Every structure is written in C-alpha cells, then in structure tokens.
Amino acid sequence: VRDRRQVSDRLKTDDGRPSRASAYSERPKVSLVEKIGRRFTDPNSADLTKLRFRLMKAGYYGKSAPHIYIGVRFVALILPQFILLACWPLVDQYMPQHGLLLSSVALGIIAFISPSFILDKKVASREEQYRNGFPDMMDLLVACVEAGLSLDGAVQRVSDELVQRYPNLADHLKIMNLEMRAGRARTEAWKNFADRLGLDEARALATMLRQSEELGTSVGETLRVFASDMREKRMLYAEEKALALPAKLVVPLILFVFPSLLVVLMLPAVVRMMYVFSQT
C-alpha cells in the first residue's frame, strides 16, 4: 500500500493534479486488432452503424466492437495465407498442380464468410432465447402492473426477476429503463427495445403500448390480452417444432439407421448362402 501511495505521489504535479504520465497510464489500452479495424473503417459510415446494430443484437455492446470485428476479419484473411505459404513446401509434393492457388482461394473464401456466419448464428441464438423468454416476461409484467406498480417500475422489477433465467433479455430491459431515466420518451424507448431484440412480438408490444398511451386505454388490460396471445403463440411454436421433427429425422434414418438395419437383417442370410455354396 505504501509503495502505491509513493508512486501516485510521484505522478502528481505540485498543484495536486495528475501528471501527463499518470493520465497516459490511465488511458485504456487499444489492441492491435482494434487498431487495424479503425484503420479500415470510416467513423461516419452508414455501414458501420449497421454493423454496430448487428453486434448489439449479438450481445456485443462495446464502443469498439465494430472495429474489433473488422480487425478480426482482416486478420482472418491475411494470417492463414502466411501460414499456408510457410507450410506449403512441406506438402507441395502431395498436392496437385495449382494447388497453392486453389488452397489460397479456399482459405480466403472461408475466412471472409466465417465471421459473418458466426455472428449471424449468435444473433439467431439470441433471438431464440428472447422468443422463449418473452411470454414469461409478459406474465411478470402483467402481474406487476396489476399489483399496483407503474409500467416503468414494473419493467425494473421484471428485469431483476429475469436475471437468473433470461439474463440477456433482462439486460435489454435494464437498457430500456436507463433510456427512460435519461429522459427518452417511453414509446421511443420501447421501440428501441423491440429493434434490439429483433422480434415481431416485441415490435407488436411497442406498437400496442404506443396506441394504448395515445388512446388512453388501460395498460393492465392491454398487457393481459397480449400476454395471453404470447402464451398461445409459444404453444403453437412448440407444436410446430414437434410436427417438423419427423421430416428432420428422415435423412438420419436413411443414412445411418436403414443401412445398419439392412446389414443386420441380410448378413445371416448371406453367410448361410456362402456356406451352402461352399459345400456344393
């Protein structure tokens, strides 16, 4: 502790303010990947805004997330090419003509597609979690509003209750609550919440709350009807997945189960016929 105090005292100027060295040491360190991403991005580009929105839907809320993503894509394009050139003399004799060019093109295509594919899969996984947790969120929201809480207080309470089961959905509720505390209109905050989730159910809820506020209808009754619809949709979604299961099982059955079953049924007869023919 004494050493830390001595170091902090050395880094202060005579008037008590931090020196330039201490201010520089307190700056966040920027990784090499982020520097590369900043080099190849335009801060005022519309594509960067769209990318930031995609990354937010995937759960990456950091300010530097778009730059890191672009830097990762650049490194994924360049680094495998150098590794391929370094290892090619070891496998050149086993490869066909123009193998280096074909391998380089294949690596480039894979490296170009993979980051976007992984990001889309993560967004789809998040949307699946949001879809599963949305009916539970609506039930809790209805219970809180009917218990006497305001809509804003109910959102705060529901976000605290959903942390254990649906933490990602709870994070979006907390972000929306912070937006309303900062002075953003409730309808706009709910619209941003729906855009971040990317669900039609959330957009319908935002539209319904806006209409309820404009027309002066009861929020509790409106939420109760909407929550009932959400429960019915979840049941229909589960039935749809159950009905689609036999069609998905056809390919594994044809490729794996039927050949094994055919071998088990036919092998004894084949062995018996081979034995009979060998005796004659």
Side-chain angles (χ1 to χ4, degrees):
V1 177
R2 184 180 300 174
D3 294 337
R4 292 181 181 177
R5 290 178 179 174
Q6 291 176 356
V7 171
S8 62
D9 291 339
R10 292 194 194 102
L11 292 177
K12 287 184 179 180
T13 57
D14 296 335
D15 56 356
R17 292 179 299 176
S19 65
R20 293 184 180 180
S22 64
Y24 181 78
S25 63
E26 293 176 356
R27 293 178 185 175
K29 295 182 179 180
V30 180
S31 63
L32 178 61
V33 176
E34 183 179 347
K35 290 181 180 179
I36 295 174
R38 291 182 182 275
R39 182 73 175 178
F40 292 95
T41 54
D42 181 10
N44 300 321
S45 175
D47 295 334
L48 185 64
T49 303
K50 294 179 182 179
L51 177 59
R52 188 184 300 277
F53 184 71
R54 284 182 63 197
L55 291 170
M56 288 182 63
K57 292 178 68 175
Y60 301 104
Y61 306 108
K63 186 178 180 180
S64 60
H67 306 293
I68 294 176
Y69 175 79
I70 295 173
V72 167
R73 296 194 71 174
F74 181 81
V75 172
L77 280 172
I78 300 300
L79 185 60
Q81 303 294 333
F82 285 104
I83 296 175
L84 177 64
L85 291 175
C87 299
W88 188 256
L90 301 176
V91 297
D92 187 15
Q93 56 183 345
Y94 305 106
M95 293 297 174
Q97 189 179 7
H98 305 297
L100 179 60
L101 179 60
L102 296 176
S103 301
S104 177
V105 171
L107 282 177
I109 293 174
I110 293 173
F112 184 78
I113 296 176
S114 295
S116 181
F117 177 77
I118 294 173
L119 183 62
D120 291 339
K121 293 292 290 184
K122 195 170 183 62
V123 170
S125 176
R126 288 260 179 163
E127 289 182 356
E128 185 70 18
Q129 296 178 16
Y130 300 150
R131 187 173 287 107
N132 293 333
F134 204 80
D136 295 338
M137 184 200 77
M138 290 304 307
D139 291 337
L140 290 173
L141 199 61
V142 170
C144 292
V145 171
E146 290 183 346
L149 290 176
S150 64
L151 184 58
D152 299 344
V155 169
Q156 178 64 37
R157 179 71 181 186
V158 170
S159 63
D160 295 336
E161 293 293 333
L162 290 177
V163 169
Q164 298 297 329
R165 183 66 184 273
Y166 302 105
N168 298 323
L169 184 59
D171 291 341
H172 285 289
L173 288 173
K174 291 178 180 178
I175 292 173
M176 181 179 63
N177 196 22
L178 290 175
E179 287 182 350
M180 289 188 289
R181 287 184 180 181
R184 181 162 291 176
R186 180 186 297 170
T187 55
E188 187 178 354
W190 277 99
K191 181 180 179 299
N192 294 337
F193 170 74
D195 292 337
R196 287 193 301 271
L197 292 188
L199 297 179
D200 294 335
E201 295 88 346
R203 296 188 182 95
L205 176 62
T207 304
M208 182 200 64
L209 290 174
R210 178 179 58 81
Q211 293 176 351
S212 176
E213 185 175 346
E214 292 176 353
L215 299 176
T217 58
S218 173
V219 176
E221 183 67 25
T222 305
L223 291 176
R224 189 186 304 110
V225 174
F226 192 82
S228 178
D229 293 339
M230 288 297 99
R231 286 193 295 270
E232 292 179 1
K233 283 187 176 181
R234 181 162 65 176
M235 184 62 66
L236 292 175
Y237 182 68
E239 292 178 355
E240 180 183 354
K241 293 183 69 175
L243 292 174
L245 186 60
K248 294 180 180 179
L249 287 175
V250 170
V251 176
L253 285 173
I254 294 175
L255 294 179
F256 303 105
V257 178
F258 286 162
S260 303
L261 184 61
L262 187 63
V263 170
V264 170
L265 293 176
M266 297 297 295
L267 187 60
V270 172
V271 172
R272 182 63 179 174
M273 291 176 63
M274 291 175 62
Y275 176 75
V276 171
F277 287 141
S278 63
Q279 295 296 325
T280 57

